[in-house]
C-alpha cells in the first residue's frame, strides 16, 4: 500500500505482507478524524512480482454527535461550610441511534480536590448513555473555604 497524500486520519493496521495463491487476505483501515470535514486519500495496492497496481480512494465524513447536557452551568448559591453540602443533577441526553460513551477528563477532575476531600464530587465519572436515552449526572458540592468557586469541566 502506498501512494497519494498521507492522511493522519487514516491508519492502516498492516501496510505490507504476503498474499499466498488461492488465499484471501483482509486489510483493515481505521478512520480517526479530528474535525468534521470530509477526508479523502488515495492508496495504491501493489503486487510488484506480477505487475499489478490498483488505486483506491478512501473517503470519510463525520458529524458531531447529538449529545447534550440539560444545562450548561450549575449555580449552588450559598452553601454552609462543613455542612452536608448541596446536590444538583444534570441530565446527559443522547439523541443518536447509537450508544454514547462518556468520561470526565481526569486532569480536570484533579482541580476539584481539596485538603479535606473533594470540593465537587461527580457521579458517575464515566458510563454509557443508550440510544435516544438520557442518564443523570450528580454533582455534590462541599465547600471547604469561604471563597468563590468556579470550575470548568
Amino acid at each position: 500500500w502506498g501512494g497519494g497524500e498521507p492522511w493522519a486520519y487514516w491508519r492502516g493496521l498492516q501496510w505490507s505482507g504476503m498474499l499466498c495463491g488461492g488465499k484471501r487476505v483482509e486489510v483493515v483501515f481505521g478512520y480517526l478524524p479530528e474535525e468534521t470535514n470530509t477526508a479523502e486519500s488515495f492508496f495504491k495496492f501493489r503486487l510488484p512480482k506480477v505487475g499489478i497496481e490498483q488505486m483506491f480512494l478512501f473517503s470519510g465524513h463525520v458529524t458531531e454527535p447529538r449529545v447534550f447536557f440539560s444545562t450548561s452551568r450549575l449555580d449552588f448559591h450559598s452553601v454552609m461550610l462543613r455542612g452536608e453540602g448541596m446536590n444538583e443533577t444534570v441530565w446527559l441526553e443522547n439523541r443518536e441511534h447509537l450508544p454514547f460513551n462518556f468520561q470526565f477528563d481526569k486532569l480536570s477532575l484533579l482541580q476539584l480536590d481539596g485538603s479535606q476531600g473533594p470540593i465537587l464530587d461527580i457521579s458517575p465519572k464515566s458510563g454509557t448513555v443508550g440510544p435516544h436515552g438520557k442518564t443523570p449526572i450528580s454533582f455534590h458540592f462541599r465547600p471547604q473555604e469561604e471563597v468563590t468557586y468556579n470550575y470548568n469541566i
Side-chain angles (χ1 to χ4, degrees):
W1 290 93
E5 289 293 315
W7 260 109
Y9 304 150
W10 298 102
R11 289 172 177 59
L13 299 181
Q14 184 176 357
W15 289 102
S16 63
M18 184 177 292
L19 177 63
C20 299
K23 299 291 181 185
R24 292 171 23 149
V25 174
E26 181 177 283
V27 179
V28 178
F29 287 84
Y31 177 57
L32 302 170
E34 295 176 2
E35 53 191 52
T36 58
N37 297 334
T38 299
E40 294 181 340
S41 187
F42 285 96
F43 291 89
K44 187 185 293 183
F45 177 74
R46 292 186 287 225
L47 296 172
K49 290 190 178 182
V50 291
I52 295 176
E53 288 188 1
Q54 177 66 49
M55 289 292 284
F56 289 92
L57 170 63
F58 285 38
S59 177
H61 180 76
V62 67
T63 57
E64 290 289 334
R66 294 178 301 154
V67 177
F68 307 94
F69 283 108
S70 58
T71 184
S72 61
R73 65 189 288 268
L74 291 175
D75 188 347
F76 290 99
H77 302 287
S78 297
V79 179
M80 295 286 292
L81 288 175
R82 295 175 196 74
E84 293 295 315
M86 181 178 272
N87 288 310
E88 290 283 343
T89 299
V90 173
W91 291 89
L92 182 58
E93 183 178 354
N94 179 8
R95 296 184 186 162
E96 295 287 340
H97 67 283
L98 298 170
F100 182 81
N101 297 320
F102 70 92
Q103 180 174 357
F104 288 95
D105 180 57
K106 289 180 181 173
L107 289 177
S108 68
L109 294 177
L110 289 177
Q111 70 179 338
L112 308 179
D113 287 339
S115 60
Q116 301 165 12
I119 296 166
L120 182 65
D121 192 25
I122 302 171
S123 179
K125 292 178 177 51
S126 64
T128 302
V129 184
H132 302 288
K134 58 185 182 177
T135 192
I137 310 289
S138 296
F139 294 83
H140 187 79
F141 179 59
R142 272 185 241 119
Q144 297 176 7
E145 299 177 51
E146 194 170 328
V147 297
T148 300
Y149 292 91
N150 184 19
Y151 294 118
N152 292 314
I153 301 174

